[in-house]
Amino acid sequence: MRRALEVAGHTPEGDVPVGAVIFDAAGQELATGVNRREQLQDPLAHAEVEAIRAAVKVHGDSWRLSGCELVVTLEPCAMCAGAAVAARVGSIVFGAWEPKTGACGSLVDVPRAPGALHVPQVRGGVLAGSSKHMLQTFFTKLR
């Protein structure tokens, strides 16, 4: 999570600071991503999607990230949780809970939905205070 927090610090100005890192089964970093929705004017440019797109290019199992771990500073939304499930990520670890849009247990639980073809392990609240502080600082400055 410390690495994801470091990555989040490189989020472009004006975008919500969220960092994502994907590690392979051996713990080697495959890819990172940050939010770029404002920078790219792309509603799909979330940190998790950016990291997944980059990781599949280097992982070597087509689009599958089996055995890999997605570490992200904020609980993934429905789109990002769905992308992680679709990519067959082995586990999702996140920092701050997101009660408004969180889709790994807060608002809904996409990874553990009934009938899911793939169910990754999910662990939330890892270094949540650090992630929450980064987000609160961003939104305080924005207002």
Side-chain angles (χ1 to χ4, degrees):
M1 185 59 67
R2 284 176 178 68
R3 176 67 176 131
L5 286 162
E6 179 184 330
V7 169
H10 297 289
T11 302
E13 182 92 20
D15 275 294
V16 178
V18 176
V21 184
I22 296 183
F23 297 96
D24 67 14
Q28 296 296 312
E29 183 178 307
L30 294 178
T32 64
V34 295
N35 275 349
R36 296 183 189 281
R37 288 187 312 171
E38 298 300 327
Q39 180 189 49
L40 300 177
Q41 298 182 356
D42 178 358
L44 305 180
H46 288 206
E48 300 93 325
V49 173
E50 297 271 313
I52 288 168
R53 286 178 172 160
V56 297
K57 291 178 182 176
V58 297
H59 184 55
D61 189 16
S62 183
W63 51 268
R64 293 169 194 82
L65 294 174
S66 303
C68 294
E69 182 167 77
L70 167 63
V71 180
V72 60
T73 57
L74 182 64
E75 181 180 4
C77 67
M79 176 185 71
C80 294
V85 169
R88 306 296 193 265
V89 168
S91 61
I92 300 169
V93 176
F94 65 87
W97 294 89
E98 174 45 279
K100 294 180 182 178
T101 62
C104 288
S106 287
L107 181 64
V108 294
D109 199 348
V110 170
R112 295 171 284 222
L117 296 176
H118 173 74
V119 181
Q121 293 180 5
V122 177
R123 189 169 123 208
V126 177
L127 294 179
S130 298
S131 296
K132 188 175 180 179
H133 177 74
M134 183 178 282
L135 292 163
Q136 287 175 331
T137 300
F138 170 79
F139 284 110
T140 298
K141 288 180 183 176
L142 189 65
R143 294 180 180 118

